[in-house]
Amino acid sequence: QKEVEQNSGPLSVPEGAIASLNCTYSDRVSQSFFWYRQYSGKSPELIMSIYSNGDKEDGRFTAQLNKASQYVSLLIRDSQPSDSATYLCAVNFGGQFYFGTGTSLTVIP
Amino acid sequence: GAVVSQHPSRVICKSGTSVKIECRSLDFQATTMFWYRQFPKQSLMLMATSNEGSKATYEQGVEKDKFLINHASLTLSTLTVTSAHPEDSSFYICSARTRTGSMEQFFGPGTRLTVL
């Protein structure tokens, strides 16, 4: 059973703070990991992909991967109200994506 | 780049009718397309994987005779919901993967299906 788990939230942070989103997965073989943002009523939008252990930074977003702990996280620095959305973690198992249930983030002005 | 479109964006139909949803990759060739379904406040559930020129691979529990998938070209895949019922009402989203070997998937805007 391939499992991807996220805290459903909701997670609330004040504007300008760092939002930290976490994801764990069950399969040690997985090699690629993705974070998507989904606004209500819209389809997911790719934010970050990460393939190797460590940190990957892109603007205000940093993805962190620890394969030994089967853990991937997303940090959002200087959070903005426009970052309020559901964030989906996706793990590639054998060419298919399996999604977590998503974490709802609200950035409070 | 990597733009995926879906049509229609919203459809309302009567119970028992069939509905076709198109998914197109606009600026790239997609060897593989995926069809997902998302119920309110739930995550994406993969329904099937579609490879150009071959039969789709369906996830466990998804009826292949009810959800017909045709991947006729490298830029077009269609999902037909046959004999739709109210419980089929959902948000259907396709995604596509490029030919470059990257594992990233790019999603279409989704189709909101309501079956009366």
Side-chain angles (χ1 to χ4, degrees), chain A residues 6-12 20-22 85-87 101-106:
Chain A
Q6 296 179 252
N7 289 330
S8 61
L11 173 66
S12 295
S20 178
L21 306 164
N22 304 314
T86 297
Y87 289 80
T101 52
T103 299
S104 175
L105 171 67
T106 300

Side-chain angles (χ1 to χ4, degrees), chain A residues 36 38 43 49 95-97 100, chain B residues 38 43 49 97 103-105 108:
Chain A
Y36 285 84
Q38 187 175 25
S43 66
S49 59
Q96 293 181 344
F97 277 20
Chain B
Q38 187 176 35
S43 189
T49 302
R97 197 163 69 201
M103 300 306 294
E104 295 172 348
Q105 290 185 22

Side-chain angles (χ1 to χ4, degrees), chain A residues 39-76:
Chain A
Y39 293 112
S40 181
K42 304 294 185 182
S43 66
E45 171 191 12
L46 180 66
I47 298 176
M48 295 278 287
S49 59
I50 186 166
Y51 300 89
S52 55
N53 278 328
D55 295 359
K56 179 182 178 182
E57 186 175 319
D58 183 1
R60 296 186 295 111
F61 299 99
T62 299
Q64 299 175 319
L65 175 61
N66 184 327
K67 291 185 180 180
S69 299
Q70 295 173 230
Y71 174 96
V72 57
S73 65
L74 179 70
L75 300 178
I76 306 175

Side-chain angles (χ1 to χ4, degrees), chain A residues 32 34 36 38 41-46 49 51 56 88 92 94-102, chain B residues 34 36 38 41-44 46 49 57 59 91 93 97 102-110 112:
Chain A
S32 47
F34 306 85
Y36 285 84
Q38 187 175 25
K42 304 294 185 182
S43 66
E45 171 191 12
L46 180 66
S49 59
Y51 300 89
K56 179 182 178 182
L88 301 171
N92 173 40
Q96 293 181 344
F97 277 20
Y98 290 85
F99 286 85
T101 52
Chain B
F34 304 86
Y36 295 86
Q38 187 176 35
K41 299 192 183 300
Q42 295 187 22
S43 189
L44 295 164
L46 179 65
T49 302
T57 301
E59 293 298 297
F91 192 40
I93 312 174
R97 197 163 69 201
S102 167
M103 300 306 294
E104 295 172 348
Q105 290 185 22
F106 299 93
F107 285 84
R112 179 78 58 190

